[in-house]
Amino acid sequence: MLRPARLRLGDLLRVGAVGLRTRKTRAFLSALGIAIGIAAMISVVGISASSRAELDRELASLGTNLLTVGPGNTFFGDSANLPAEATSMISRIGSVTDVAAVGKIEANVYRNDRIPRGESGGISVRAAELNLPETIGATVRSGAWLNEATAQFPAVVLGAKTAERLGIAEAGEDLQVWLGDQWFTVVGILNPVPLAPELDSAALVGWPAAKSYLDFDGYPTTVYTRAKDYAVEAVQAVLAATANPEAPNEVKVSRPSDALAARQATDKTFTGLLLGLGSVALLVGGVGVANTMVISVLERRAEIGLRRSLGATKGQVRSQFLTESLLLAALGGLGGVLLGGLVTTGYALLQTWPSVVPAWATLGGVVATILIGGIAGLYPAMRAARLSPTEALAAP
């Protein structure tokens, strides 16, 4: 008894590709559905990973060891004050490397003295200690930071948003703003400060000048503290009691990098939503593959009948159509991975981010297409295998 010849892998791939070569347009559209779903998933994961890589790089450059100390509320709900000596007391903590304070001043700043008092523009005025930039990682975009001399006189450094709102692009000796009912010279403009964004909308004057010209009471409202990396948690635990030993419950301690980490967690939630949408697109692509394969079986019944008459087994026919489905899905998957990588790289370049496409996403995309191809092609392949030679050849 003669046994039917076994199809080798190369023969199986060649036979499975026949349907794709003879129906190029239909194969392309079906593969495109898969590609769109995979590209959506790859690009969502890639853009999200690139964003997190940029955030991690930013945090690494700024440091996650910055802590802030501020006044809370009293037992009766009134606003509390930090002691005037809070900065010096915090600096005595062994693991603290830098300490700098700012104090809120009840004053407004305007471009000139003709603007009504009620229009503050959301700009706050704060007294600042000289080592503030080193402590919070701030840099000067134009001009210079305050020094021992300028901190004694009516000189001001503007935050990035403050300068924008006042219409000031460059600092200069002849450039002044109306601050607290007198003119202050703009000696510097800061770049945005990621770990202290409240300073972007502030006008900063020297601590001595604030007392002399603006009736500043000398109480710090925010104390920025840098600790050694290994001791951040320990320092955070004792900051309240150190800043105000008499009433530590009236002190608030926070870590600015935690806010950035919370933003990262929010991005992850949003990424999950987008991944769900990408999965729906991938499912639609799988339905397209199944539809293509069912129609292919109906159109090629005569071919199936001829192959069965010439000795092809049910298993060989089933393998042929299943291979065709897998090839169709694999083409779409490879195209989707490539397209998703290009979208991620392009977007990352526009945002000046590092381009990151996780290996698990690429591998998962390929595995997903193989599974979808197998599931989508299983029923059409089994249907083709069940056709008897006489029934297939009799089909119109």
Side-chain angles (χ1 to χ4, degrees), residues 114-246:
R114 304 299 176 89
I115 299 175
R117 288 177 176 269
E119 300 180 8
S120 65
I123 301 172
S124 62
V125 180
R126 301 174 190 247
E129 295 184 338
L130 296 182
N131 61 334
L132 180 65
E134 294 83 1
T135 304
I136 62 175
T139 57
V140 178
R141 189 187 75 201
S142 175
W145 177 247
L146 300 167
N147 55 39
E148 293 287 350
T150 55
Q152 306 284 336
F153 298 100
V156 61
V157 174
L158 305 179
K161 291 182 179 178
T162 300
E164 181 180 346
R165 291 171 184 171
L166 295 177
I168 298 174
E170 301 289 338
E173 296 180 357
D174 56 346
L175 184 61
Q176 295 183 317
V177 293
W178 186 251
L179 195 161
D181 295 330
Q182 59 185 302
W183 294 104
F184 273 66
T185 301
V186 179
V187 297
I189 298 175
L190 297 178
N191 286 309
V193 186
L195 290 181
E198 65 276 6
L199 299 183
D200 294 341
S201 301
L204 304 168
V205 300
W207 206 274
K211 291 182 178 180
S212 301
Y213 299 99
L214 301 173
D215 297 325
F216 176 47
D217 57 15
Y219 292 116
T221 51
T222 304
V223 180
Y224 299 97
T225 305
R226 287 277 186 184
K228 295 178 180 178
D229 291 335
Y230 66 85
V232 171
E233 301 297 335
V235 171
Q236 188 174 19
V238 300
L239 271 179
T242 305
N244 190 351
E246 295 183 356

Side-chain angles (χ1 to χ4, degrees), residues 58 74 78 91 158 261 396:
E58 183 180 345
T74 65
D78 299 325
S91 66
L158 305 179

Side-chain angles (χ1 to χ4, degrees), residues 10 14 29 68 87 89 96 107 130 142-143 169 187 189 215 247 313 322 326 330 335 385:
R14 186 164 53 253
L29 293 177
T68 61
T87 303
M89 290 189 293
V96 169
L130 296 182
S142 175
V187 297
I189 298 175
D215 297 325
T313 64
L322 187 58
L326 290 172

Side-chain angles (χ1 to χ4, degrees), residues 24 65 97 112 147 166 176 185 191 249 297 310 320 383:
K24 296 179 181 179
N65 59 342
T97 58
N112 55 58
N147 55 39
L166 295 177
Q176 295 183 317
T185 301
N191 286 309
N249 59 299
V297 170
L310 294 176
Q320 173 189 349
R383 181 172 179 175

Side-chain angles (χ1 to χ4, degrees), residues 13 66 74 122 131 136 140 142 155 169 171 174 215 242 244 257 264 282 299 316 334 337 387:
L13 293 175
L66 178 65
T74 65
N131 61 334
I136 62 175
V140 178
S142 175
D174 56 346
D215 297 325
T242 305
N244 190 351
S257 58
Q264 189 178 51
L282 192 58
E299 290 180 344
Q316 290 173 341
L334 292 175
V337 169
L387 288 174

Side-chain angles (χ1 to χ4, degrees), residues 24 45 69 71 144 187 212 235 257 267 278 304 306 309 352 374:
K24 296 179 181 179
V45 173
V69 180
V187 297
S212 301
V235 171
S257 58
D267 290 343
I304 295 169
L306 181 59
S309 301
T352 65

